[in-house]
Amino acid sequence: MTAGVWMDLTVLERKKYNSLSEVLDLTRQLGESLDRNDQVAVRMLIAMRQDPLLHLEEAERTAKDRRRSLTEEEQRRIRSLLKGAEPQSSEERTFLDQAGKTRRLLERVVELDRRVSLRMAGGQSFYKK
């Protein structure tokens, strides 16, 4: 796979990471607003999370489209890297590092979102289903 393909995939992972960072920050603020019982801020922060979530969705869709445009062999290489194969170039290492950072941040966002959602909605939370 060419360096340009790895660069494209890495840039898309970075875009996802940036959107997730914004979601994490807004979710933290949402939790703080709940602590203060500030319903105006809660509603505002919920609305504000929509933009970075839409950007995240767009970056994910673009990444999937980009991967689908690759050969089967290239797609296999990406899957094997994400499952633990050793990178064979600096471009693969950079991609893998960014994908790992993005995955770890997603895990943090989901955990914080779960806690906030359960506080806000209790048994009606998405996470209770």
Side-chain angles (χ1 to χ4, degrees):
M1 203 170 342
T2 68
V5 171
W6 288 115
M7 175 83 73
D8 289 349
L9 294 173
T10 301
V11 166
L12 290 167
E13 284 297 320
R14 183 66 189 180
K15 285 181 180 182
K16 292 188 320 189
Y17 182 90
N18 290 341
S19 294
L20 284 168
S21 292
E22 192 172 346
V23 170
L24 182 65
D25 181 54
L26 291 168
T27 305
R28 280 188 187 133
Q29 291 179 48
L30 180 58
E32 292 167 2
S33 296
L34 286 170
D35 291 343
R36 293 188 313 271
N37 201 23
D38 183 346
Q39 294 304 310
V40 172
V42 166
R43 285 191 294 278
M44 181 182 71
L45 289 162
I46 289 171
M48 288 173 64
R49 284 184 2 148
Q50 186 66 26
D51 279 343
L53 288 170
L54 290 173
H55 292 156
L56 176 63
E57 183 179 26
E58 180 182 332
E60 182 63 30
R61 187 173 40 255
T62 302
K64 284 181 181 178
D65 290 345
R66 182 68 172 111
R67 287 181 185 179
R68 275 194 289 264
S69 75
L70 300 175
T71 67
E72 184 60 39
E73 182 180 326
E74 291 169 329
Q75 291 178 32
R76 268 195 304 274
R77 180 64 188 149
I78 291 169
R79 284 192 302 271
S80 68
L81 275 174
L82 294 173
K83 290 180 180 177
E86 279 298 312
Q88 297 174 352
S89 68
S90 63
E91 292 87 1
E92 286 185 0
R93 167 60 60 201
T94 301
F95 165 76
L96 191 57
D97 288 347
Q98 185 60 58
K101 288 177 186 176
T102 302
R103 181 185 43 77
R104 289 186 296 277
L105 183 57
L106 175 60
E107 290 168 358
R108 289 176 51 209
V109 168
V110 168
E111 178 54 30
L112 181 58
D113 186 69
R114 184 187 67 74
R115 290 195 318 258
V116 168
S117 177
L118 288 170
R119 282 180 57 201
M120 288 177 63
Q124 300 299 314
S125 169
F126 165 82
Y127 293 97
K128 278 291 189 180
K129 296 178 180 164

